[in-house]
Amino acid sequence: MGKHNFKKKYGQNFLTDTNLLSAIVRDAGVTSQDCVVEIGMGQGALTEQLSKVAKKVYGFEIDLDLKAFLEEKFNESNVVLFFEDILKCNIQKLEEQIGGEYKVVANIPYYITTPIIFYFLENSNAKELCLMVQKEVAEKIVAKFKTKNYGILSVICQSFCECKVKRVVSKKLFTPSPKVDSAIISLIIKQKFDFDYAKFIKSSFSMRRKTLANNLAFNYNLSKTKVEKFLNDNGFASNVRAEELEVKSFKKLYEVFRQNL
Ligand code: SAM
């Protein structure tokens, strides 16, 4: 490709190291049976490695300056190109076109990391998300309770997915190089998203300095005494904080909350 003006606003940090690119494809366990959705093809470096292994790749790119280059590069290949914002794509229509199971594999633009994860967890039937994210985000996703990184992202991702950090990737391997290191995270989706449960988790953590009872009472418009009694009845202290509850306790507590309060 001729000289490309990297667009910071689109989170353009490209990869070229073929060892790393093929390691990402291995991390995602892509085989010739797999259809893959890729978010943000850039100059198509990861797309190329994916297309060598996968059955079909459905690649998205928002930057129209890359259109002619990508169309030429993947002319007569197993790559289907979409030049649109992934967060505005019609997932249902895309899934009809794919016609079966698929994985999402991508070096995603960091400015929309959480929206992308939620967009796919909430709306899609993807079986796995294998994503390059900022290392700090990967640490939040896999964080255990009672640690500083544990929060909404940890509980929601771990409630619906099996989450693993596959590898840490030095910032030096990107062009241009971002400020922080990255990591490949795999989220194998085990359960369909539950919006009411997600609301319960978001409410539990809504005010970081407040107790769980305070947060739930405020967000569900309940009396604090009632919520404290509910917590006590379920084996928790009245002043317990959300970060002290492990994922399986949240799941159990939500079931009782849903039925009783
Ligand atoms: N896959 C390439 C690679 O690994 O070298 C590029 C990765 S770069 C981190 C992210 C890419 O996502 C950029 O090409 C950017 O233009 C594209 N992008 C940014 N926002 C997007 C969006 N909302 N929808 C689709 N693509 C987007």
Side-chain angles (χ1 to χ4, degrees), residues 10-15 38 40-42 61-62 85-86 107 111:
Y10 287 149
Q12 293 185 341
N13 302 100
F14 293 169
L15 295 171
E38 188 196 355
M41 289 172 289
E61 178 51 61
I62 200 170
D85 181 344
I86 191 68
N107 171 20
Y111 74 106

Side-chain angles (χ1 to χ4, degrees), residues 7 9-16 21 38-47 60-63 66 84-87 106-112 116 174:
K7 298 190 183 70
K9 68 168 178 174
Y10 287 149
Q12 293 185 341
N13 302 100
F14 293 169
L15 295 171
T16 49
L21 290 160
E38 188 196 355
I39 304 158
M41 289 172 289
Q43 293 180 331
L46 178 58
T47 324
F60 284 78
E61 178 51 61
I62 200 170
D63 184 356
L66 295 161
E84 60 178 283
D85 181 344
I86 191 68
L87 297 177
N107 171 20
I108 57 174
Y110 293 158
Y111 74 106
I112 43 171
I116 286 175
F174 296 81

Side-chain angles (χ1 to χ4, degrees), residues 45 53 62 81 86 95 157 178 198 225 241 254:
V53 182
I62 200 170
L81 307 172
I86 191 68
E95 290 183 344
C157 289
T225 327
R241 286 170 191 278
Y254 170 68

Side-chain angles (χ1 to χ4, degrees), residues 130-186:
C130 187
L131 308 173
M132 175 88 78
V133 298
Q134 286 175 307
K135 187 165 158 261
E136 294 96 284
V137 177
E139 285 166 353
K140 280 188 187 169
I141 290 173
V142 299
K144 294 293 168 222
F145 70 120
K146 296 184 181 170
T147 65
K148 75 170 180 358
N149 285 324
Y150 189 68
I152 296 172
L153 199 57
S154 335
V155 181
I156 292 187
C157 289
Q158 292 173 37
S159 294
F160 301 117
C161 315
E162 192 183 302
C163 309
K164 263 195 201 127
V165 175
K166 293 288 195 169
R167 69 184 64 239
V168 172
V169 179
S170 163
K171 58 183 182 229
K172 291 187 201 132
L173 292 171
F174 296 81
T175 309
S177 180
K179 289 202 176 71
V180 292
D181 288 334
S182 295
I184 302 285
I185 184 106
S186 152

Side-chain angles (χ1 to χ4, degrees), residues 154-220:
S154 335
V155 181
I156 292 187
C157 289
Q158 292 173 37
S159 294
F160 301 117
C161 315
E162 192 183 302
C163 309
K164 263 195 201 127
V165 175
K166 293 288 195 169
R167 69 184 64 239
V168 172
V169 179
S170 163
K171 58 183 182 229
K172 291 187 201 132
L173 292 171
F174 296 81
T175 309
S177 180
K179 289 202 176 71
V180 292
D181 288 334
S182 295
I184 302 285
I185 184 106
S186 152
L187 307 179
I188 299 177
I189 301 173
K190 297 284 181 196
Q191 234 178 291
K192 206 147 181 52
F193 197 81
D194 177 339
F195 287 87
D196 292 329
Y197 173 77
K199 179 188 168 198
F200 181 74
I201 302 306
K202 286 177 190 167
S203 303
S204 301
F205 284 93
S206 62
M207 292 171 282
R208 205 71 205 193
R209 286 154 185 259
K210 302 270 184 189
T211 62
L212 179 58
N214 263 317
N215 280 333
L216 291 177
F218 178 79
N219 288 297
Y220 287 91

